[in-house]
Amino acid sequence: MRYAEGGGLTAERRAFREKIRLRAGERFTAGEKTAVIAKDLRVSVRSVERWRRAWREGGMEALRSAGPANSPTVTDAQFSVLEEELGKGPSAHGFDDERWTLGRVQTVIRRCLRLSLSVATVWRLLKRHGWSWQAPARRALERDEHAVEVEEGGVAEGKSLAAAHGAWIVFEDESGFSMTPPRARTWGRRGHTPVIRVRGRSRRRTSVAALCCYKPDVESRLIHRPRNHLLLKGARKSFSWQDYRDLLVRAHIQLSGPIVVVWDNLNTHLAAGLKRYEAEHDWLTTVRLPPYAPDLNPVEAVWSLVRRAMANTAFDTPDDLDRVLRRELRRIQLRPHLIDGCLTATGLTLASPTPP
């Protein structure tokens, strides 16, 4: 069957099925019972009953093949037009949200190409042209794409500075983890949603600041620092600028060289004390990422790896949460190719320093 080409039967298959129907018609003439015919021809009773009705109305000619189905097809030129329309987004075609479903694509085909296709045919059409059902990436409404392109020059400038002075380029980000684990899909009996028991009253939360460290022709590194939030009134629940300073000093010692830090515009990163410390130490240079551009930070991919490994894990105590966090971060530390993959996901690259 040529389902990969849009559906339908081959000529050989149509001839074979026609032969079966004609054999059934000969046995209808002989007066044989439906169940006997179905058993001998190895087809369903309902098919034989349908053939018998057609035979009664039109004789043997009604059992012959009507030829290939004349279903509408979409040419490559028509699909290019369709792809351009789909690229405008669902909202441009009057839909409320930004989801392309098979039914909506079917509607766009009917409006733009004047073709009526079934949902199954639309699915095969999209698959044949390289489309797939996937989760979209999210972007902030406040994000200025032009500013991102312009300010990416600042990140590139940081990479050039790191290459020129033999420094490490270091991306920094922080994230919080609670006793409630991320959810992931799991197999279960249909109609019975799987249940994961978690702590409902625990307010324990652990924050982690991490550094993805890169240098051309040198194995990538991951450095992290946890912070447990104290359940005291007035206690700080985030990293202070002194915590970031200590983390950068630790990275400088471990990497044994100057570092260029690339991070976001968090107000703590812009603290006066941290700027003053940077001005007093020539081994430290900071570069800020464009606003609302977390996709340029490889540490975001590190958090995705950690959360994926922690999914559906029921933590009994806060110590269990800390233990799993340390284990997963250590697993990434021992696999530099994962750290390199996180950088690749951002689309940024590091160039080897050019000789003078």
Side-chain angles (χ1 to χ4, degrees):
M1 304 179 82
R2 298 178 287 109
Y3 291 123
E5 302 175 8
L9 299 174
T10 63
E12 294 78 11
R13 192 64 181 174
R14 287 196 302 273
F16 174 77
R17 292 195 174 189
E18 182 186 57
K19 183 179 179 180
I20 295 295
R21 291 194 297 271
L22 293 177
R23 289 175 59 185
E26 294 173 355
R27 303 181 72 164
F28 295 156
T29 305
E32 297 189 26
K33 295 183 178 179
T34 299
V36 176
I37 298 174
K39 182 178 180 181
D40 292 345
L41 298 181
R42 303 179 66 179
V43 295
S44 67
V45 174
R46 294 184 62 181
S47 295
V48 177
E49 291 175 346
R50 186 173 65 254
W51 298 342
R52 188 183 290 273
R53 286 195 299 270
W55 173 78
R56 287 172 179 169
E57 295 174 1
M60 296 294 289
E61 289 300 321
L63 300 179
R64 296 190 180 277
S65 175
N70 295 321
S71 58
T73 58
V74 178
T75 63
D76 291 341
Q78 289 176 318
F79 188 82
S80 298
V81 175
L82 174 63
E83 204 164 25
E84 183 178 350
E85 293 296 327
L86 297 180
K88 297 177 182 178
S91 58
H93 292 273
F95 300 110
D96 296 334
D97 54 60
E98 295 297 316
R99 292 183 305 131
W100 277 125
T101 63
L102 293 176
R104 292 180 176 183
V105 176
Q106 182 186 41
T107 301
V108 173
I109 292 175
R110 186 168 58 252
R111 291 175 181 173
C112 301
L113 303 182
R114 306 300 181 185
L115 294 176
S116 180
L117 303 182
S118 66
V119 172
T121 303
V122 173
W123 180 85
R124 289 191 293 267
L125 175 67
L126 295 177
K127 294 285 286 186
R128 186 165 66 248
H129 286 84
W131 286 60
S132 62
W133 178 259
Q134 52 188 298
R138 292 187 295 183
R139 294 287 184 269
L141 291 173
E142 300 85 352
R143 173 173 166 139
D144 186 347
E145 295 294 342
H146 176 69
V148 169
E149 293 179 2
V150 173
E151 295 196 30
E152 272 187 11
V155 179
E157 180 183 354
K159 294 188 294 182
S160 301
L161 187 62
H165 294 82
W168 288 78
I169 182 165
V170 176
F171 292 86
E172 190 278 338
D173 193 46
E174 58 283 326
S175 183
F177 299 87
S178 67
M179 295 285 290
T180 303
R183 289 187 299 175
R185 294 179 180 271
T186 181
W187 285 101
R189 183 184 294 276
R190 181 173 299 176
H192 297 78
T193 303
V195 176
I196 301 171
R197 303 294 178 182
V198 299
R199 291 285 180 180
R201 295 185 178 181
S202 176
R203 294 183 296 164
R204 174 65 183 273
R205 185 177 177 85
T206 298
S207 292
V208 181
L211 305 174
C212 282
C213 312
Y214 303 96
K215 189 176 181 180
D217 305 322
V218 180
E219 193 174 80
S220 303
R221 304 276 296 275
L222 175 66
I223 301 173
H224 60 88
R225 183 186 186 94
R227 177 187 175 89
N228 296 325
H229 300 311
L230 300 177
L231 300 179
L232 300 176
K233 187 176 181 179
R236 186 181 181 91
K237 297 183 178 180
S238 62
F239 286 90
S240 64
W241 74 265
Q242 293 92 341
D243 294 325
Y244 290 118
R245 177 201 60 193
D246 296 343
L247 177 61
L248 297 180
V249 171
R250 177 181 173 186
H252 173 56
I253 295 173
Q254 291 190 17
L255 299 175
S256 302
I259 61 176
V260 177
V261 181
V262 183
W263 52 18
D264 55 25
N265 294 274
L266 184 69
N267 55 357
T268 312
H269 296 162
L270 307 178
L274 200 55
K275 290 184 177 180
R276 185 168 56 251
Y277 184 83
E278 177 188 356
E280 296 172 353
H281 296 80
D282 56 0
W283 57 265
L284 175 61
T285 304
T286 60
V287 178
R288 291 196 296 275
L289 286 168
Y292 302 102
D295 52 298
L296 297 180
N297 195 335
V299 187
E300 293 286 350
V302 171
W303 302 140
S304 297
L305 293 174
V306 173
R307 288 192 170 91
R308 187 183 307 169
M310 295 172 56
N312 298 354
T313 302
F315 302 110
D316 293 330
T317 64
D319 292 337
D320 288 339
L321 173 62
D322 295 340
R323 176 181 54 80
V324 173
L325 275 175
R326 289 194 303 268
R327 182 193 68 196
E328 295 306 322
L329 289 171
R330 181 59 176 168
R331 181 180 66 86
I332 299 174
Q333 283 179 321
L334 296 176
R335 293 166 173 80
H337 67 278
L338 292 180
I339 308 174
D340 293 335
C342 295
L343 179 65
T344 303
T346 65
L348 300 174
T349 58
L350 294 178
S352 300
T354 56

